[in-house]
Amino acid sequence: MVYGAIKQLVQYGLDTGLITDTDAIYARNQILDALHMEEYEEPENDPGKGKLEEILKELLDYACENGVIEDGIASRDLFDTRLMNCLMPRPSEVSSTFWKLYEEKGPESATEYFYKLSQDSDYIRRYRVCKDQKWVTSTPYGDLDITINLSKPEKDPRAIAKAKLAKQSGYPKCLLCMENEGYAGRLNHPARNNHRIIRLTIGGKRWGFQYSPYVYYNEHCIVFNGEHVPMKVERESFVKLFDFVKQFPHYFLGSNADLPIVGGSILSHDHFQGGHYTFAMAKAPIEKHVKMAGFEDVEAGIVYWPMSVLRLRGKDPDRLIDLGDKVLRTWRGYTDESAFIFAETDGEPHNTITPIARKNGALYELDLVLRNNITTEEFPLGVYHPHQELHHIKKENIGLIEVMGLAVLPSRLKDELALLADYIVEKKDIRSNESIEKHADWVEKFLPKYESITKENVDQILRDEVGHVFARVLEDAGVYKCTQKGREDFLRFLTTVGFTV
């Protein structure tokens, strides 16, 4: 059986274009070596093509049964990545093909090739990503994207225990370092044998371009500094964003904020996220235009969005960079006690910005989302953070992706919502079940809205209500609310910058 799986894996490489006929014997021998096998026999019956997940499972089962690896989630993930590398072109070949396509057919052809490679190589595990639950909820702010992320591998308790005993390594320094390319991984660091990075010049320095292995949206990419330096939102950030967008005008690119609570999960390595996708925030209109003397060529205004967004739009990105820098520098030092905005307390800075750059037709756009990470006794996780009554759905940081209108919700919700559906339809006491009692207050509030909740409509109702919770999450994270007072407070800040209505 193992010979059949080996043949199928080689055939998969040929079918996807990862290898050519010339590479087939070499690839087979690399697979044999990984499996500690010294011989190969051509299967008597053609095993057919098979699905990649099933092929790898058969090879992983063989490796476990024959003592090549231990049987565990982490060990299997490390090893199947090594098997896939047997089919992979070298980084220089990937780069050469990418830039050749870029020059001859344009940036879209280049990114299409690289995205396909990242999936065919199993760096993006299609069969896991497709398990993510996704839906759209209509709200006053537009159609919000909701996802329950299930594609990240489960934590293996045995691997966690071993990882604690393992020698701590500083190589690679983090998951975004260039040194991850081709790295075999370890129990506390994912394998990246099949990982490839395109080198770019951004802000006059070497940067890397790759895709996220968990693709929350179409062509979800990561653009990262070639050096392990911390994130910082500054004028240079805007320069870098537009350096990329000018090279890849079909992609947006944005940065997480650079402070805890309102920042992303990796603040230690300077990076951006982008992709070939239009978020609800990008579709949201400007509701209140403002002007700046000396920047008559730049259209500016407050976006109708639950978070506090100033949009700058014009033909010359350099002008957007200059005006964006003016906004950022003013916001860093801005305090307005009446709006509960404090630039710092006890020397700790609170104000920063989440910036997003894109090209929209003939114009460039720069969205500046005002952020503040102040905490209080009432809101210990952040005043402009999901408030406690929403933590049963979303407690984690609101980063760049959520800011733009895509909820990345914890995997626990899959089972909790399924159980809730049963309890609601059968009219059971939700508070009697420890795993879902945290949702009881929420359910009691929305139930009266519906005349009848049945087995047929309960799932849709729960999805819609989760989407409405996410809209409230964004409202909580907005420093200026979508109210008359909120708009007055927002305009007061913009006046401080130098804008006029």
Side-chain angles (χ1 to χ4, degrees):
M1 290 291 287
V2 70
Y3 294 141
I6 292 170
K7 183 171 183 175
Q8 284 180 315
L9 187 57
V10 172
Q11 187 60 49
Y12 171 86
L14 292 166
D15 292 341
T16 54
L18 289 172
I19 60 173
T20 67
D21 287 336
T22 308
D23 305 314
I25 294 173
Y26 173 85
R28 180 206 297 158
N29 286 333
Q30 294 301 303
I31 296 167
L32 290 172
D33 179 57
L35 292 166
H36 297 179
M37 296 173 63
E38 296 179 353
E39 296 181 3
Y40 174 79
E41 294 177 13
E42 193 68 22
E44 291 182 13
N45 300 314
D46 186 353
K49 293 188 176 181
K51 294 180 179 178
L52 181 61
E53 183 179 15
E54 294 168 358
I55 297 168
L56 290 174
K57 182 182 182 305
E58 193 164 327
L59 294 173
L60 288 168
D61 288 346
Y62 173 88
C64 293
E65 290 163 8
N66 288 273
V68 178
I69 61 170
E70 291 186 8
D71 192 0
I73 296 167
S75 299
R76 291 170 78 96
D77 275 4
L78 291 171
F79 193 70
D80 70 5
T81 307
R82 181 181 172 189
L83 289 173
M84 289 306 299
N85 192 45
C86 299
L87 306 175
M88 289 296 292
R90 287 182 177 272
S92 58
E93 295 173 65
V94 174
S95 180
S96 176
T97 301
F98 180 91
W99 289 113
K100 188 171 187 289
L101 285 168
Y102 185 97
E103 295 298 330
E104 294 179 357
K105 296 186 177 180
E108 281 200 59
S109 291
T111 54
E112 282 172 10
Y113 153 75
F114 189 41
Y115 190 53
K116 181 178 182 298
L117 176 84
S118 299
Q119 294 176 90
D120 290 341
S121 66
D122 209 35
Y123 167 71
I124 297 172
R125 297 172 186 259
R126 285 190 185 104
Y127 47 84
R128 285 186 183 165
V129 172
C130 72
K131 294 175 183 175
D132 290 351
Q133 293 187 353
K134 301 181 180 184
W135 67 90
V136 173
T137 299
S138 294
T139 75
Y141 307 108
D143 291 341
L144 301 183
D145 293 309
I146 313 297
T147 65
I148 296 178
N149 181 256
L150 304 170
S151 54
K152 285 190 178 182
E154 299 173 53
K155 296 288 186 183
D156 185 334
R158 291 169 297 178
I160 292 170
K162 281 193 172 184
K164 285 183 179 178
L165 301 174
K167 179 185 175 184
Q168 293 302 304
S169 171
Y171 181 88
K173 289 187 177 72
C174 79
L175 292 171
L176 292 179
C177 286
M178 287 277 189
E179 288 79 11
N180 282 282
E181 188 174 42
Y183 186 63
R186 52 185 188 268
L187 288 175
N188 59 358
H189 192 105
R192 291 289 184 257
N193 310 65
N194 56 350
H195 179 38
R196 299 295 181 264
I197 298 168
I198 302 297
R199 273 66 174 175
L200 304 175
T201 300
I202 301 286
K205 295 185 178 179
R206 187 183 73 160
W207 279 57
F209 168 64
Q210 66 180 59
Y211 289 104
S212 163
Y214 308 116
V215 287
Y216 295 130
Y217 51 87
N218 187 49
E219 296 178 44
H220 177 186
C221 70
I222 299 171
V223 180
F224 60 98
N225 200 314
E227 297 179 19
H228 183 74
V229 293
M231 284 186 64
K232 187 178 181 184
V233 177
E234 56 188 350
R235 176 194 172 86
E236 244 345 89
S237 305
F238 306 151
V239 173
K240 293 168 188 172
L241 290 175
F242 281 114
D243 268 5
F244 179 85
V245 170
K246 283 185 278 188
Q247 292 179 69
F248 300 93
H250 60 300
Y251 274 22
F252 80 88
L253 195 68
S255 171
N256 269 305
D258 55 354
L259 292 177
I261 296 177
V262 296
S265 57
I266 302 179
L267 296 177
S268 61
H269 196 124
D270 191 16
H271 73 285
F272 305 125
Q273 294 182 80
H276 198 181
Y277 192 72
T278 304
F279 286 88
M281 192 182 85
K283 300 174 189 174
I286 291 176
E287 68 165 275
K288 185 72 174 177
H289 283 82
V290 292
K291 300 175 183 177
M292 171 77 75
F295 287 90
E296 288 80 8
D297 55 328
V298 177
E299 179 187 358
I302 297 171
V303 177
Y304 182 65
W305 190 245
M307 297 193 68
S308 306
V309 186
L310 174 69
R311 178 167 295 155
L312 309 179
R313 181 186 289 146
K315 291 183 178 179
D316 183 356
D318 290 339
R319 300 286 285 160
L320 306 187
I321 291 166
D322 289 342
L323 187 49
D325 181 48
K326 190 175 177 67
V327 174
L328 174 63
R329 283 187 286 110
T330 306
W331 179 245
R332 288 283 193 194
Y334 184 74
T335 291
D336 179 355
E337 292 188 20
S338 68
F340 206 78
I341 301 294
F342 295 89
E344 58 88 21
T345 54
D346 300 324
E348 180 189 351
H350 296 306
N351 289 347
T352 184
I353 279 178
T354 299
I356 301 105
R358 70 181 75 86
K359 193 172 187 195
N360 189 348
L363 300 178
Y364 288 95
E365 294 180 347
L366 179 63
D367 282 355
L368 302 171
V369 188
L370 306 181
R371 312 296 303 275
N372 180 288
N373 76 346
I374 196 167
T375 60
T376 62
E377 284 188 14
E378 184 182 2
F379 302 111
L381 294 182
V383 172
Y384 306 108
H385 179 85
H387 290 174
Q388 285 90 322
E389 69 269 19
L390 306 180
H391 288 180
H392 65 103
I393 298 292
K394 179 70 174 176
K395 185 179 181 179
E396 299 79 13
N397 289 4
I398 303 306
L400 171 68
I401 294 171
E402 277 106 351
V403 163
M404 295 185 292
L406 189 156
V408 181
L409 302 178
S411 58
R412 63 175 170 81
L413 284 175
K414 178 192 174 187
D415 293 335
E416 289 175 11
L417 292 177
L419 193 55
L420 261 183
D422 290 340
Y423 270 61
I424 291 170
V425 170
E426 296 173 17
K427 295 182 170 55
K428 292 182 183 177
D429 179 11
I430 293 169
R431 297 181 193 279
S432 69
N433 189 310
E434 188 179 345
S435 65
I436 57 172
E437 62 177 335
K438 58 179 169 286
H439 298 299
D441 289 346
W442 169 56
V443 173
E444 286 169 5
K445 282 181 182 177
F446 73 68
L447 277 182
K449 289 166 51 178
Y450 302 95
E451 287 184 14
S452 173
I453 299 183
T454 65
K455 190 175 181 181
E456 287 69 35
N457 69 8
V458 67
D459 291 333
Q460 184 60 50
I461 287 171
L462 281 170
R463 285 194 290 268
D464 286 343
E465 293 299 333
V466 167
H468 296 319
V469 168
F470 180 57
R472 289 182 57 203
V473 162
L474 295 181
E475 289 172 343
D476 284 353
V479 296
Y480 297 122
K481 307 310 177 188
C482 295
T483 61
Q484 184 177 343
K485 181 184 184 305
R487 287 299 178 247
E488 289 170 358
D489 292 342
F490 201 158
L491 286 170
R492 188 160 56 251
F493 164 66
L494 294 178
T495 301
T496 306
V497 180
F499 286 100
T500 57
V501 178

